[in-house]
């Protein structure tokens, strides 16, 4: 590639109309179409995370992944500077050494290069980032002909920034959703994926799904027609399958009928085992959870997860291993349907108790912001000041994630009791140092595989 | 999980803790704050996404702080600490700076990645947070020794 | 390696006593010990097939497999010339071009080189071959310090040669077993693996197990103390699991208590899909069958199976993928235990009906040979004239392997009826050309994966 | 599944079928024999593990055979057919020799693997057994044409 590291002058963004006809001419299916087909075929669509600083290397990365693992959807993972609108820092790092960036700085490279990437591969692209305010990034993505965009006013704020008020991020994402509504009316359905993964570590299923329901309702109100609800594998089989199977019920309950809703699983997002064999056991496990939970899409991990951003080979291997879950030879697997049903009921009840008071109020944005302020909405391990993180999750003896403390979440007595029961059999861990126990819970899969933790224990 | 807590006693030792400017990884930050507090430290925890300027401001507010402890997980430590040399040259950060986490992008870490961080003015680079208390003790002893010689 | 292609002079074989002390000094566990430990730990031990002509390359192959995939037991797969005592041809090919050999010609290379191979790796070695008369090969293996030896007077005759009378092969294998008995009394338990895989293609489970029972009884009579019963994955989940789970019952019924008996699964041995993804689905499936059927050991395949002897990389990848079946994260899998129980009963009854008349007679060898002559014992697709191959297997609609024709097997009316029922739902295939249907059954996994057959259809 | 069957009619065409000397793979052999018989051929099936000498003996017994059809799956075709040149030079195998299967060791087949088999005196190398009838027809026509010219 003879391209300069960054384009000398950021090209002006084209009109929505121009972008629309570009997408049509591109002649590839949209992400929404790929998801629709995957679901119709009963297959889990696969998608890697991938993003490097250099445009040339990003092109090669996408092409190599497509050539060797043919994922259904490809990703542009955006670097952390761009996420936080630190565009100057992104440009500085890009000029100094593109390899210093932990993702592809799409805004800095510009939409013309975005189109080049899009044209370099057959699969549709999704932008995955973590921006409280993604308006410029979204416009750049649309101009690049990208048909899937991740994020939401809660899920791309609380885990990803410290001091952005929720009202601000919700307003910024309302603009994004409104543009999607506009595009949908003009014939282009952009897949809007909600980042229910949140802070990824020990996220209670009902917190993840409650946040997604609120974001989905907000998005649907703006005219969004394809919503992907991402859920992070927690590590307990029946609980995870139940969470994925809860998504259609939640869609039916809270969203208009004409919105297509997909469940998406993120392979385990917490502390990954370091040994390759262990990491691969976990990758396959996650992929099986996706299949058996009926997820439309799976976001894959690699055996280098514990070390850093993976190289291309590891990324390919992760996809290939995960693709085994689409094997036609696994129909022999039967599940503990009773337990799954029980978990699903519990999740649906918890979600209802969390979201219904918020949805009942008139102004959704304000109601969300106030609820977080008051702890009626909350997430564990918030990166942001705008959530209390009074919620403390723990693992029960069987590995299920329960509310050790539910803070000010408006849970019924019954829900509280069921969570306490869940932890009751967890003899020993309630006594003693809570942080110690929490750390053990975070390191769950290290324990399963007998790897030593690297954090005080 | 509040971001600051009141000093417990006269002899309380203070540290400033935070995560680098572009970085929102918070779990280790929470756990490290807890662990240091459990050991009796007064932890001024600035949390995630903390630019160098915010560390210097906190240090101005807490001149008694023994060290500034920065976590960086997302690989951006070098870009996020670009302003460290200026801040230190201007004397706005005259306590030891400790850095830990995942300090460069990629799965293959090279010693050059560490070296250039030292050149920015990072004093101590740690991987295991369990080593923090012992490191803080040692840094304090060294500082006391220096002060004794100086006076 | 500066070694000549073949040693200038075949070194004379050492005494059993010398070989015994060599094994002791070698300081590695025997195959029997590795199997014992795997079973105790509830793990499936893994073993690749591997054998190349060149001694230097064989050494590297074993070391590479061990370094990258750490199988529990390593293999010396012997070339076809050596198997048939065509030692001159083995030597000629070795001199011309070692890569022309489809295995390691251990007899030609000699036991000193066998010891070198043994010393090059940590895992114990097994010799896998297919020799109606393996006496010289066995002596060479023992002299090499090899602690596991595959074969039997039926299973290494009928699939592997055309014109060796069963009485001859049974007598040759009696000598091998007697030597194993001798070694066992002197403290070295050699694992004797029986090749229930037979002709590998559409083998009815009860034929495989019946042959193994007869060989096991013969071996135990000579003092063999560790017997591995190999069973070829047929492709129907519950039937294969049932077959593996039948092994302990058969051992309890027909063998002395002091013989340790292991079930071994061969990943699918028939027509393999050509596409890598499909082959890998099948490899993982086989590995899961081994785990869920309680096999002690799994013999792996590779994604190059349809093409030819695999390269090292493919062999490693096959082992690594199969090793996922030992994942601690798969306890969520539940099975159709009722169906498995039903299949197991059917298999046990069929085996009993086949073997008990043969065992009842005084002279086991003669009784076996006569039974094959008269078709009371039989295998499908015999390579040898000494079995009738009047037995014709077919797949039922659900993929299970049934007796379409059971020839002169002494089956009860009930057994016959159950087999007919099994095929009854197989509407359409009983009508029309039987060979056509048989070919379709042989190409089962090509059909599952939608690959085109390469044989007339 | 008997190894030989009686000629059905006067005009029956005979072929000799077998698997190479060191090779015991028999399934394709069974199926090919069935398929050719279904087409009306008289198949002298020698089965597995058949050295060149056995093919020549069968040919002596069945001089009317149109072709000798050899399968080799185990990769040893070249070594197993070493005696073919001598047999042919001595006129002991003066009908076309057709070879098929998996003709060399390894997953990567090279054209040299095929070439050296031709040099041993194999006339036709096929991969798909479905092509056998057409191939036999063509060989017979060629032979008839040759005979016509010669007579
Ligand atoms: C959870 C997680 C997230 C969550 C974080 C939620 C939150 N707000 O905290 C989410 C999903 C939001 C996320 C986002 C991103 N992440 Co992230 N994330 C992880 C993950 C899976 C676990 C981290 C974690 O919480 N671990 C548990 C805690 C307790 O341990 P820890 O953070 O690993 O820290 C240990 C040590 O580093 C050390 N330590 C940490 N801090 C400090 C400080 C001091 C002073 C000392 C001494 C020691 C120390 O102690 C800890 C215990 O051993 C890791 C991979 C992994 N499995 O480890 C990736 C990982 C850290 N993330 C990574 C990246 C790149 C990102 C993103 C930039 C997205 C991307 N491009 O992929 C964004 C970041 C956006 C931003 N602005 O920063 C990379 C970093 C890559 C690199 N350095 O090469 C990792 C390694 C994943 C990977 N393999 O690619 N992530
Ligand atoms: C079943 C099987 C066995 C059985 C055979 C039982 C029996 N007696 O028949 C057993 C387990 C005994 C066996 C043993 C061995 N096998 Co084996 N076996 C297979 C397997 C799995 C299937 C073969 C089969 O039956 N296919 C079904 C039939 C219908 O098709 P086919 O034989 O593949 O033939 C097709 C074509 O080749 C063609 N064809 C065949 N013959 C002919 C003849 C003519 C004239 C024509 C035109 C076409 C033609 O038509 C068929 C349809 O497309 C194949 C791998 C595979 N999955 O394909 C390996 C395979 C053939 N075996 C192989 C080998 C090497 C062996 C061994 C030497 C052991 C070893 N070193 O690994 C021994 C052989 C011992 C000996 N003395 O020959 C290799 C050959 C490798 C190579 N060429 O590089 C293969 C490819 C496996 C592999 N990938 O390594 N084997």
């Amino acid at each position: 590639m003879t391209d300069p590291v960054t384009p000398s002058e950021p090209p002006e963004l084209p009109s929505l109309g121009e972008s629309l006809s570009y997408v049509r001419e591109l002649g590839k299916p949209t992400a929404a179409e790929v998801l629709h087909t995957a679901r119709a075929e009963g297959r889990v669509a696969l998608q890697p995370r991938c993003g490097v600083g250099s445009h040339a290397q990003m092109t090669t990365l996408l092409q190599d992944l497509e050539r060797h693992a043919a994922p259904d959807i490809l990703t542009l993972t955006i670097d952390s500077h761009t996420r936080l609108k630190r565009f100057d820092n992104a440009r500085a790092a890009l000029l100094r050494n593109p390899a210093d960036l932990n993702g592809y700085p799409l805004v800095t490279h510009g939409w013309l290069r975005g189109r080049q990437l899009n044209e370099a591969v057959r699969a549709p692209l999704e932008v995955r980032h973590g921006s409280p305010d993604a308006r410029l990034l979204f416009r750049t993505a649309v101009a690049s002909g990208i048909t899937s965009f991740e994020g939401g006013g809660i899920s791309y704020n609380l885990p990803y920034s410290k001091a952005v008020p929720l009202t601000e991020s919700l307003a910024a994402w309302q603009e994004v959703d409104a543009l999607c509504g506009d595009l949908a009316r003009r014939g282009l359905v952009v897949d809007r994926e909600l980042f229910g993964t949140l802070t990824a570590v020990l996220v209670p299923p009902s917190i993840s799904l409650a946040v997604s329901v609120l974001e989905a309702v907000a998005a649907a109100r703006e005219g969004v027609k394809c919503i992907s609800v991402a859920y992070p594998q927690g590590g307990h089989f029946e609980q995870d399958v139940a969470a994925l199977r809860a998504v259609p019920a939640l869609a039916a309950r809270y969203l208009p009928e004409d919105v297509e809703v997909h469940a998406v699983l993120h392979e385990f997002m917490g502390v990954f085992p370091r040994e390759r064999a262990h990491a691969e056991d976990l990758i396959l496990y996650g992929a099986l959870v996706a299949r058996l939970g009926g997820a439309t899409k799976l976001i894959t991990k690699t055996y280098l997860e514990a070390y850093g951003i993976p190289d291309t080979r590891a990324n390919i291997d992760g996809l290939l291993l995960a693709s085994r879950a689409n094997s036609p030879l696994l129909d022999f697997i039967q599940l503990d349907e009773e337990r799954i049903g029980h978990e699903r009921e519990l999740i649906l009840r918890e979600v209802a108790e969390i979201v219904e008071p918020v949805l009942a109020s008139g102004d959704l944005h304000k109601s969300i912001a106030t609820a977080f302020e008051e702890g009626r909405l909350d997430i564990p391990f918030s990166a942001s000041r705008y959530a209390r993180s009074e919620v403390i999750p723990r693992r029960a003896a069987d590995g299920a994630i329960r509310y050790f403390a539910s803070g000010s979440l408006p849970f019924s007595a019954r829900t509280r009791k069921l969570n306490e029961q869940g932890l009751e059999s967890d003899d020993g861990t309630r006594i003693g140092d809570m942080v110690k126990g929490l750390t053990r819970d975070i390191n769950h899969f290290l324990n399963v595989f007998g790897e030593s933790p690297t954090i005080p224990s | 999980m509040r971001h600051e807590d009141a000093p417990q006693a006269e002899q309380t030792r203070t540290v400033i803790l935070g995560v680098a400017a572009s970085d929102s990884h918070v779990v280790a930050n929470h756990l490290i704050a807890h662990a240091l507090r459990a050991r009796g430290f007064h932890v001024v925890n600035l949390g995630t996404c903390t630019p160098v300027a915010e560390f210097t401001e906190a240090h101005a507010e807490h001149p008694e702080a023994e060290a500034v402890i920065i976590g960086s997980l997302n690989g951006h430590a070098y870009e996020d600490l670009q302003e460290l040399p200026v801040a230190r040259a201007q004397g706005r950060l005259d306590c030891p700076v400790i850095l830990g986490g995942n300090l460069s992008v990629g799965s293959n870490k090279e010693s050059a990645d560490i070296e250039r961080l030292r050149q920015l003015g990072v004093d101590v680079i740690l991987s295991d947070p369990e080593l923090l208390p012992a490191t803080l003790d040692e840094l304090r002893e060294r500082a006391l020794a220096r002060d004794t010689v100086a006076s």
Side-chain angles (χ1 to χ4, degrees), chain A residues 79-81 84 86 88-90 92-93 96-97 99-103 159-162 199 201 304-311 380-385 388-392 433-435 438-439 442 454-457, chain B residues 1-3 19-28 30-32 34-35 38 45-51 54 73-83 102 104-109 113 116 127-131:
Chain A
D79 70 290
S80 301
H81 298 305
L84 295 166
R86 294 162 51 89
D88 290 345
N89 297 80
R96 196 182 54 235
N97 179 16
D100 277 351
L101 284 167
N102 59 17
Y160 281 110
S161 66
K162 174 162 67 177
T199 39
V201 172
L304 292 177
E305 174 61 16
Y307 297 96
I309 293 186
D311 57 33
F381 301 110
S382 177
S384 165
R385 293 179 179 149
R388 292 190 177 190
S389 285
E390 282 169 5
V391 158
I392 302 176
D433 186 358
M434 203 272 298
V435 175
L438 202 55
T439 304
I442 291 173
T454 48
I455 219 173
S457 63
Chain B
M1 300 198 178
R2 271 166 302 120
H3 289 149
V19 179
S22 76
D23 197 343
S24 68
H25 288 94
V26 75
V27 181
H30 275 202
L31 296 176
I32 290 170
H34 273 297
N45 191 1
L46 307 175
T48 62
C49 302
T50 305
E54 213 176 314
L73 273 304
N74 70 2
H76 280 189
Y78 188 63
E79 175 64 29
D80 284 349
L81 297 180
Q82 285 295 308
E83 292 139 35
N102 192 328
S104 62
V105 167
S107 292
N108 230 329
K109 309 299 182 187
D113 300 336
R116 62 179 189 167
S127 56
D128 188 349
E130 223 171 329
L131 300 174

Side-chain angles (χ1 to χ4, degrees), chain B residues 48-119:
Chain B
T48 62
C49 302
T50 305
V52 171
E54 213 176 314
F55 283 108
T56 59
E57 282 159 29
H59 190 49
E61 260 183 65
H62 299 275
E64 77 284 8
E66 281 180 28
V68 166
I69 305 174
I70 306 177
S72 171
L73 273 304
N74 70 2
H76 280 189
Y78 188 63
E79 175 64 29
D80 284 349
L81 297 180
Q82 285 295 308
E83 292 139 35
L84 195 60
V86 176
R88 302 210 86 175
Q90 296 176 343
R92 285 186 290 129
L93 215 59
D94 58 356
C95 67
V97 172
I98 303 176
L99 179 67
N102 192 328
L103 301 176
S104 62
V105 167
S107 292
N108 230 329
K109 309 299 182 187
E110 280 164 31
S111 60
D113 300 336
I114 297 297
E115 203 31 60
R116 62 179 189 167
L117 290 167
R118 288 195 193 286
Q119 276 163 17

Side-chain angles (χ1 to χ4, degrees), chain A residues 121-432:
Chain A
V121 288
R122 280 188 310 278
L125 301 180
E126 174 174 37
V127 167
R128 308 184 67 86
H129 50 121
S131 310
D133 174 2
R135 288 171 298 176
L136 181 55
L137 183 61
F138 178 72
R139 291 301 303 260
T140 313
V142 170
S144 306
I146 292 170
T147 55
S148 177
F149 198 75
E150 193 185 35
I154 306 167
S155 66
Y156 261 17
N157 177 342
L158 302 182
Y160 281 110
S161 66
K162 174 162 67 177
V164 179
L166 278 162
T167 43
E168 265 179 40
S169 58
L170 286 163
W173 279 93
Q174 185 172 26
E175 279 187 41
V176 168
D177 286 336
L179 280 170
C180 289
D182 205 3
L183 287 167
R185 279 184 298 275
R186 292 160 81 170
L188 175 64
V189 173
V190 173
D191 169 45
R192 282 277 298 105
E193 185 167 336
L194 311 176
F195 188 67
T197 290
L198 298 170
T199 39
V201 172
L202 290 182
V203 180
S206 54
I207 296 250
S208 166
L209 293 173
V211 168
S212 284
V213 164
L214 296 173
E215 291 186 340
V217 168
R221 286 185 187 170
E222 304 301 324
V224 169
K225 293 292 175 220
C226 179
I227 294 178
S228 291
V229 174
Y231 166 81
Q233 183 188 8
H236 181 276
F237 182 79
E238 285 81 12
Q239 190 175 41
D240 287 333
V241 166
L244 290 170
R245 292 188 183 171
V247 171
L250 294 171
R253 199 176 287 174
Y254 299 110
L255 295 173
E257 261 190 20
D258 67 339
V259 178
E260 189 152 334
V261 178
H262 298 284
V264 171
L265 183 74
H266 284 216
E267 281 176 8
F268 189 66
M269 289 287 287
V271 175
F272 234 73
R274 289 179 296 275
E275 272 189 45
R276 177 168 176 171
H278 302 161
E280 294 196 328
D281 279 353
L282 188 47
I283 287 169
L284 179 64
Y285 178 46
L288 292 172
V289 168
R291 173 195 174 122
L292 298 162
T296 306
K297 189 173 83 171
L298 174 72
I299 308 291
T300 60
K301 287 250 154 164
T302 79
Y303 60 79
L304 292 177
E305 174 61 16
Y307 297 96
I309 293 186
D311 57 33
T312 311
R313 186 70 247 170
N315 217 333
I316 290 167
D317 285 344
L319 281 161
L320 292 179
L321 179 55
S323 75
R324 298 285 69 72
N326 276 324
S327 167
L329 306 177
L330 300 176
D331 287 340
F332 68 83
I333 297 179
Q334 303 194 349
L335 306 181
D336 185 343
E337 296 292 348
E338 205 183 305
R339 174 73 191 269
I340 293 168
H342 167 78
E343 292 291 343
R344 185 162 168 279
E345 238 176 82
L346 184 59
I347 289 169
L348 287 173
R349 184 177 323 118
E350 288 177 1
V351 172
E353 290 176 5
I354 296 173
V355 301
E356 288 181 4
V358 180
L359 290 173
S361 123
D363 181 337
L364 184 58
H365 287 194
K366 230 177 112 186
S367 156
I368 290 172
T370 315
F372 272 107
E373 227 172 276
E374 295 173 0
R376 288 181 287 110
L377 283 173
D378 200 2
I379 68 166
F381 301 110
S382 177
S384 165
R385 293 179 179 149
Y386 294 95
R388 292 190 177 190
S389 285
E390 282 169 5
V391 158
I392 302 176
R394 287 298 311 275
R395 282 190 195 278
D398 66 359
I401 297 173
R402 305 285 177 210
Y403 292 92
F404 177 77
S406 54
S408 308
L409 294 181
F411 278 157
S412 63
R414 187 162 167 220
T415 295
R416 272 178 227 280
K417 207 174 135 222
L418 282 168
N419 271 283
E420 276 163 28
Q421 277 172 1
L423 288 171
E424 229 152 48
S425 60
D426 192 3
D427 45 330
T429 56
R430 295 196 70 168
I431 324 146

